[in-house]
Amino acid sequence: MHRHGLTALAGCAAAALALPAAASATLTEVGSLPKTIPASTPSCTAGPVGSFAVAEEERVKKEAEAKKRAEEKKRKEEKKREEERRKKRKAKKASVRKKRAVHKAAVAKIVARSATTPTTTTPTPTTTTTTTTTTSTSTTTAGTTAEAPCLAVSRTTGFQMGVSTMSNMFVLPRSGRIVAWTIQLGKPTSAQIKFFDENEGGAPAANISVLQPEKTSRSVPKYTYKLVAQSPLIQLEPYFGLTVEFPLTTTLEAEKGDVIALTVPTWAPALALGYEKNTSWRASRPTSQCSVTDTQTAHIKIGKLRQYDCLYQTARLTYSATLISTP
């Protein structure tokens, strides 16, 4: 893993020295994945470029359209089956009427013979067989394979809600100090870098933030957080294609229950795709702007409250933080 400045061990050791001598320090990697959960790599190796927020809206839209088409197809198939049942009932009634007519004609013929001759004639019954042929149509939809998209998190602050069966990954289990943070970056092409630089506010950069959850009330909506600490902004382009750790010269104080978030004022190729819907992250955007990336929504002012209304599924923000805590 690529190191920036001091090694992680040195950075952690320096932070540990700042703690009281009598304290028993515990080191925790906040947001790391266990080996039981596959850690896919960030996108931006090939394919079309774009903002994940916009792509997520498009995915949800396509899912809704597909559901609508499926329901319409189901209605048409049900209508077709009902029409076939109606035709069968009609054919059955016609068959019954025909049998009755044949039987009636046979009886009339017997009666006529009986009137002219005393000989008793046993009629030969006539049997009419109706065969219904059902045609089965099989439709096969061929799948198409496309290049993996290059999607980036842009102009926002976000934190992972969960990955697979894991939840509250970035909620601190105890109080302490954040002494380093790590980010895994994709490796976009020069054309993709140019696209994002021109459309997402400039060169790629990020830092980590410590968020304090606010108690919900009439004046404070759900998912509201206060920014209580933030690390220096790091320019990311030199580290594309790497997993890089940044030890903090000035560590960040954090309390139990605080949330560690990734702040990206421009853009960053730090999204791993292809997860199920039980993998999700929240962003500091209002509900009406979940797909809007041309507006700056990054949480950057210390002490300011912001609502994290937008929930994005099937992707993971590829960052973590190192916490040194005391009992």
Side-chain angles (χ1 to χ4, degrees):
M1 182 167 62
H2 188 87
R3 308 287 183 179
H4 177 70
L6 302 174
T7 64
L9 182 60
C12 294
L17 292 174
L19 296 174
S24 176
T26 302
L27 189 144
T28 305
E29 190 65 19
V30 181
S32 62
L33 295 178
K35 293 181 179 179
T36 54
I37 297 179
S40 61
T41 56
S43 65
C44 287
T45 53
V49 296
S51 165
F52 178 79
V54 176
E56 178 69 2
E57 183 187 47
E58 186 64 23
R59 182 188 68 80
V60 173
K61 183 179 178 181
K62 286 181 178 179
E63 282 187 356
E65 290 175 350
K67 183 178 180 181
K68 185 177 179 180
R69 288 195 298 269
E71 291 175 348
E72 182 63 25
K73 182 180 179 182
K74 185 177 179 180
R75 283 194 295 270
K76 287 182 179 180
E77 289 176 347
E78 181 58 32
K79 186 177 180 180
K80 184 178 179 181
R81 286 193 294 268
E82 180 58 32
E83 181 64 20
E84 289 175 351
R85 288 193 292 266
R86 188 187 66 79
K87 288 180 179 179
K88 286 181 180 180
R89 289 195 296 268
K90 186 176 180 181
K92 186 176 181 180
K93 288 180 180 180
S95 176
V96 170
R97 286 195 298 269
K98 185 176 180 181
K99 286 181 180 180
R100 286 176 179 173
V102 169
H103 178 72
K104 187 176 181 180
V107 171
K109 189 175 181 181
I110 292 171
V111 171
R113 286 183 191 177
S114 299
T116 57
T117 177
T119 305
T120 303
T121 303
T122 302
T124 302
T126 303
T127 303
T128 302
T129 302
T130 303
T131 302
T132 303
T133 303
T134 303
T135 303
S136 177
T137 303
S138 177
T139 303
T140 302
T141 304
T144 57
T145 302
E147 288 183 308
C150 176
L151 300 179
V153 56
S154 57
R155 299 185 185 184
T156 196
T157 298
F159 61 88
Q160 200 72 33
M161 292 289 288
V163 175
S164 187
T165 56
M166 292 182 65
S167 59
N168 300 322
M169 298 172 58
F170 286 90
V171 177
L172 296 186
R174 55 189 69 86
S175 300
R177 303 192 77 87
I178 302 297
V179 298
W181 66 286
T182 302
I183 188 167
Q184 185 181 9
L185 297 167
K187 192 174 182 180
T189 64
S190 56
Q192 291 167 344
I193 293 172
K194 184 175 183 292
F195 171 87
F196 284 119
D197 285 353
E198 292 177 352
N199 291 275
E200 300 299 346
N207 57 11
I208 57 165
S209 302
V210 180
L211 306 177
Q212 176 184 295
E214 294 294 301
K215 188 175 181 180
T216 303
S217 65
R218 289 185 178 180
S219 59
V220 180
K222 196 175 181 181
Y223 303 121
T224 297
Y225 295 82
K226 178 193 289 185
L227 179 62
V228 294
Q230 198 165 61
S231 68
L233 195 66
I234 300 293
Q235 297 299 314
L236 299 177
E237 190 167 346
Y239 310 104
F240 281 176
L242 302 173
T243 298
V244 55
E245 183 178 57
F246 302 103
L248 300 178
T249 303
T250 303
T251 60
L252 305 180
E253 184 178 0
E255 300 293 328
K256 180 181 178 180
D258 286 351
V259 175
I260 305 303
L262 180 69
T263 293
V264 182
T266 53
W267 67 280
L271 277 169
L273 310 177
Y275 287 88
E276 298 296 326
K277 288 186 177 181
N278 58 359
T279 294
S280 61
W281 61 282
R282 283 198 173 275
S284 55
R285 292 188 175 111
T287 304
S288 60
Q289 295 183 9
C290 288
S291 63
V292 177
T293 61
D294 57 1
T295 301
Q296 182 60 263
T297 62
H299 202 168
I300 55 179
K301 188 174 181 180
I302 301 296
K304 185 175 181 180
L305 301 182
R306 188 177 286 275
Q307 190 176 8
Y308 285 67
D309 244 3
C310 295
L311 181 70
Y312 303 103
Q313 297 175 309
T314 72
R316 178 175 66 89
L317 294 170
T318 53
Y319 76 102
S320 62
T322 304
L323 169 73
I324 287 186
S325 55
T326 54

